[in-house]
Amino acid sequence: MNITQIRNATLRVQFGGVEFLIDPFLAAKGAYPSFPNTPNADKHNPLVELPVAAEEVVRADVTIVTHLHLDHYDDVAKRLLPKQMRLLAQSEQDAASMRADGFEQVDVIGDSTYVGDVRIQRTSGQHGTGEIGQRMGKVSGIVLTHPRERTLYIAGDTIWCTDVEAAIEQYQPKVIVVNGGAAQFLQGDPILMGKDDIYRTHQEAPDALVIVSHMEAVNHCLLTRTELRNFLQEKGLTSSIYVPEDGESLSF
Ligand SMILES: [Zn+2]
């Protein structure tokens, strides 16, 4: 497999001979206002440009959208993705919304969803705690498996929770992508993983490589790559947890 960190949660993944695009958020730097009721409200999203042209990012076989928040599926993605491309959604509700955007081949990830020989399974998550987590709505992760590939688990927009623990136990992934950044509102707990959640993920899967995505691209993400890397250095975890730059590719 090959995983390219594009920007925010947007990834390109070559797996079992298939080119996947995950969570396309493709607008130019500063195209959208900050998220409401968040820190750094003077900063517009996305905070940085894409490392490659958006037109290039959308050249994939299949696109998977873990949930419909703007920083995972935006207007530029809706415009640039070919309307005939196969899209995979977490729920019938999300799929209906994507069909309303003009996409003609939208499937809900189910018990036997395959693209070629790659099996795609949906996992659950919690996009925050308590009332905020409820308000964030349903979110999902995905697990990709193929006879000749190591198992890949992309946890999606979730904090560390029993859903993540259960997914690691069930699928025994060798590569795990988590969304770090510790995004938060002015009140309440983070809605994405922070340092301790990422560390916890590693403890649950000590033999897996944990890759941290969703960093330094939207205004309410407060954990920086530098702070996280310093933490990993202190803990001696730099060979188990990796924080790629935008545009960086990793092969396994
Ligand atoms: Zn997000």
Side-chain angles (χ1 to χ4, degrees):
M1 81 180 85
N2 179 281
I3 300 175
T4 303
Q5 162 66 31
I6 302 290
R7 180 186 62 186
N8 203 54
T10 307
L11 304 172
R12 286 286 304 259
V13 177
Q14 295 172 354
F15 192 95
V18 180
E19 289 268 359
F20 291 92
L21 171 61
I22 318 290
D23 284 351
F25 172 45
L26 302 180
K29 178 181 174 181
Y32 307 116
S34 57
F35 287 108
N37 193 32
T38 56
N40 304 318
D42 56 322
K43 294 184 181 166
H44 284 214
N45 292 320
L47 302 178
V48 294
E49 295 288 4
L50 288 168
V52 287
E55 290 77 10
E56 234 174 277
V57 177
V58 297
R59 272 191 222 127
D61 298 318
V62 177
T63 295
I64 302 176
V65 177
T66 62
H67 65 302
L68 296 183
H69 286 169
L70 171 81
D71 61 325
H72 295 254
Y73 176 69
D74 74 340
D75 289 345
V76 178
K78 290 172 199 176
R79 197 176 72 233
L80 291 183
L81 286 167
K83 292 294 178 287
Q84 304 76 26
M85 185 189 276
R86 187 175 178 201
L87 268 53
L88 299 178
Q90 65 165 343
S91 65
E92 198 45 65
Q93 198 183 344
D94 281 17
S97 170
M98 290 151 80
R99 287 182 197 116
D101 293 328
F103 293 102
E104 294 162 13
Q105 290 196 66
V106 187
D107 296 323
V108 179
I109 300 167
D111 290 336
S112 55
T113 300
Y114 285 83
V115 178
D117 295 327
V118 180
R119 185 171 187 188
I120 297 112
Q121 285 159 290
R122 195 189 75 79
T123 60
S124 298
Q126 282 179 38
H127 203 351
T129 59
E131 203 187 303
I132 290 175
Q134 294 287 319
R135 224 183 310 138
M136 290 293 98
K138 176 176 171 155
V139 289
S140 295
I142 48 166
V143 173
L144 301 185
T145 48
H146 181 275
R148 287 191 308 279
E149 297 275 16
R150 290 182 239 192
T151 297
L152 169 64
Y153 168 38
I154 299 173
D157 268 9
T158 183
I159 54 173
W160 168 261
C161 60
T162 51
D163 296 315
V164 176
E165 188 177 11
I168 290 171
E169 193 175 328
Q170 180 175 352
Y171 297 106
Q172 302 285 313
K174 291 291 174 278
V175 181
I176 303 174
V177 178
V178 298
N179 290 347
Q184 64 176 86
F185 292 96
L186 291 173
Q187 301 85 23
D189 297 327
I191 58 172
L192 290 178
M193 290 199 185
K195 287 184 280 191
D196 293 333
D197 285 11
I198 295 164
Y199 183 40
R200 190 75 189 76
T201 304
H202 159 71
Q203 286 179 312
E204 199 63 30
D207 300 330
L209 177 68
V210 177
I211 298 168
V212 185
S213 183
H214 211 307
M215 299 294 286
E216 299 182 322
V218 282
N219 75 287
H220 58 331
C221 282
L222 302 185
L223 175 63
T224 64
R225 285 179 169 111
T226 301
E227 188 184 346
L228 178 56
R229 284 177 185 141
N230 288 342
F231 170 81
L232 298 176
Q233 198 92 43
E234 276 164 34
K235 293 265 183 198
L237 291 172
T238 50
S239 55
S240 301
I241 303 175
Y242 189 71
V243 191
E245 294 295 324
D246 290 348
E248 194 173 344
S249 290
L250 302 159
S251 289
F252 307 98

